[in-house]
Amino acid sequence: MNWKTLQQLVPMPGQSPDFNACLAAFPQLELAKTTPQNPVYHAEGDVWTHTMMVVESLLAMPDYQAATRAEQEIVFLTALLHDVAKCSTTVIDPVTGVIGQPGHSRKGALDARIALWDCDVPFAAREEICRLINVHQVPFFALETSRRGVTPEFTVRELSWQVDIRLLAMLAEADIRGRICPDPQRILDAIELFRELAREEGCYGQRRAFVDDHTRVKYFRGAEAHPDYPLFQEAGSRVIVMSGLPASGKNTWVEKHHPRLPVVSFDDARTALGLKHGKNEGQVGDYAEERARELLRKGEPFVWNATHLSKLMREKTLNLLYKYHAQVELVYLEQPRKELLRRNGQRDTSLSNKKLQAMLWNWEIPLPMEAHTVRYEVS
């Protein structure tokens, strides 16, 4: 399976989707046929029935028909995969019998990323699909103050730095039209108001503009600020934060582009402490963090070289850096699976290919608003 084959799944105007071909392309979707849903919100039945209804609703929408072919490919594949992880996240309350699929959006983005990576889907298209899956339910409730306590304006501004809100709203509308639930018009109205708010904010089809990168970073990290008015930036270190799976080429990149900068590295910390990969990781982290603090206190530039694979892992590093007013450039590197495993097999490392592949289940690509600058270098 490759990207060209996946593109052929997207029907041309006037054609119907070939759902058998879709199932062949993504075998995990076969499990959707026997995955139940809460009948209150999905009276149509199982996940696969819902998925087909969503796809058919999407194809009938004027917004979809007016989209470019590239946009149609993205939103079609997103609709096809938006509930791909419901099969692995389904829980049924033993007392009430209530069915739920907690975390299926985040898990679905991870499942889709791995499947699309192995199909050589271009990075930008792949990540748009995965980000859309991750937030596909947000427009239903975007006009309410979120569980995080943020305003609707914050929500649309943040979303605009993750996805194309036009495609997100299109997907959300198809998701509601492709199910049998109480009062669907109420949610469709909420989605339309979500569109209007994004238009008012100037981020319908584009990112919300910010007066500068520093204000943007501080705003998305919770500072009381407005996108149009700059915040004062205190002096601090300039830090390159590396991100990527093991064997993706981080060391080589650092040696090529910043050979003179000090490097904070978990691998170096393990060597200094005489530890193998996966052993006493807390001690390794403390050692690297103390080295970073020394450089941050002096205001010196440096590279922080680690996998930083999940958002949680990156957040711990970024919290420290921003505490010291650092200016951060996040550099993400990526290789195809075959090349990663080849490289890792040739390295003198205690990290086996099996362990490396297990790390894929924490594989979250940096988002554009996580740092002052985010670079994606993908082979």
Side-chain angles (χ1 to χ4, degrees):
M1 193 64 59
N2 55 38
W3 174 228
K4 185 175 181 180
T5 305
L6 296 185
Q7 289 175 297
Q8 292 171 354
L9 296 177
V10 184
M12 299 302 291
Q15 293 183 341
S16 298
D18 184 342
F19 286 118
N20 287 329
C22 292
L23 289 168
F26 300 105
Q28 186 172 334
L29 290 175
E30 286 284 356
L31 299 175
K33 295 179 178 179
T34 55
T35 301
Q37 301 181 103
N38 188 326
V40 174
Y41 304 107
H42 289 280
E44 72 277 2
D46 61 74
V47 173
W48 182 239
T49 298
H50 167 61
T51 298
M52 291 190 293
M53 290 173 66
V54 170
V55 168
E56 289 168 343
S57 297
L58 176 71
L59 295 177
M61 289 170 55
D63 283 353
Y64 175 84
Q65 294 165 6
T68 66
R69 181 63 181 175
E71 291 169 342
Q72 289 178 347
E73 290 168 353
I74 287 169
V75 76
F76 177 92
L77 291 170
T78 305
L80 185 64
L81 296 171
H82 79 286
D83 282 345
V84 68
K86 278 190 171 180
C87 62
S88 59
T89 57
T90 299
V91 292
I92 302 176
D93 189 291
V95 176
T96 65
V98 172
I99 301 168
Q101 282 101 4
H104 79 274
S105 298
R106 177 183 176 276
K107 178 63 164 53
L110 290 170
D111 289 355
R113 177 168 293 117
I114 295 169
L116 297 175
W117 178 51
D118 283 334
C119 291
D120 295 325
V121 175
F123 178 82
R126 185 194 78 199
E127 286 309 304
E128 185 74 12
I129 293 167
C130 295
R131 293 173 187 172
L132 285 167
I133 292 172
N134 193 44
V135 299
H136 73 267
Q137 294 179 299
V138 175
F140 302 166
F141 318 106
L143 298 188
E144 306 170 12
T145 298
S146 77
R147 294 176 184 174
R148 295 184 295 157
V150 301
T151 64
E153 289 79 7
F154 183 97
T155 297
V156 297
R157 292 166 182 171
E158 184 180 50
L159 285 170
S160 76
W161 278 77
Q162 299 180 47
V163 298
D164 185 330
I165 288 183
R166 296 174 307 129
L167 301 187
L168 176 58
M170 196 187 306
L171 174 68
E173 182 178 338
D175 195 359
I176 293 303
R177 294 190 184 280
R179 68 172 74 189
I180 300 172
C181 64
D183 198 7
Q185 190 58 50
R186 179 183 64 83
I187 305 177
L188 290 171
D189 290 344
I191 295 169
E192 189 54 40
L193 289 172
F194 167 73
R195 285 188 173 104
E196 286 303 313
L197 179 57
R199 291 187 182 104
E200 290 176 8
E201 284 292 325
C203 57
Y204 191 68
Q206 61 191 10
R207 293 175 179 174
R208 176 55 161 94
F210 279 78
V211 65
D212 57 43
D213 292 333
H214 172 68
T215 301
R216 169 177 52 79
V217 168
K218 297 290 287 186
Y219 176 82
F220 285 135
R221 293 182 68 80
E224 292 187 7
H226 189 281
D228 299 336
Y229 300 96
L231 288 174
F232 174 73
Q233 184 171 8
E234 298 186 47
S237 300
R238 298 185 68 87
V239 183
I240 311 293
V241 175
M242 304 302 297
S243 174
L245 285 157
S248 59
K250 296 185 293 296
N251 291 346
T252 301
W253 190 92
V254 172
E255 291 169 2
K256 178 181 178 181
H257 295 279
H258 298 284
R260 298 183 183 279
L261 287 184
V263 176
V264 173
S265 166
F266 288 175
D267 287 341
D268 291 346
R270 291 186 189 97
T271 299
L273 295 169
L275 297 172
K276 293 183 177 181
H277 196 284
K279 302 294 183 181
N280 300 97
E281 289 297 295
Q283 186 179 357
V284 171
D286 290 343
Y287 186 98
E289 184 175 313
E290 185 50 40
R291 171 61 174 150
R293 286 181 187 275
E294 292 175 5
L295 295 164
L296 289 164
R297 284 191 285 264
K298 297 175 183 177
E300 295 183 6
F302 65 95
V303 176
W304 195 317
N305 189 5
T307 59
H308 290 121
L309 202 58
S310 69
K311 190 175 188 301
L312 184 63
M313 292 169 63
R314 289 191 299 276
E315 195 65 15
K316 183 178 180 181
T317 293
L318 293 173
N319 283 342
L320 175 62
L321 298 180
Y322 291 135
K323 179 180 178 181
Y324 284 87
H325 315 297
Q327 178 92 5
V328 179
E329 179 181 1
L330 217 169
V331 179
Y332 171 77
L333 272 60
E334 181 177 306
Q335 296 287 338
R337 185 196 294 256
K338 184 177 180 180
E339 177 63 12
L340 276 182
L341 299 183
R342 184 193 69 78
R343 290 183 178 189
N344 192 60
Q346 293 179 345
R347 297 194 305 169
D348 182 14
T349 176
S350 58
L351 179 69
S352 67
N353 279 345
K354 182 178 180 180
K355 290 180 180 178
L356 188 157
Q357 293 186 93
M359 297 172 70
L360 294 174
W361 302 111
N362 292 309
W363 186 23
E364 296 173 309
I365 310 300
L367 293 169
M369 70 277 199
E370 290 186 31
H372 297 87
T373 306
V374 180
R375 293 176 56 177
Y376 304 99
E377 302 212 356
V378 179
S379 297

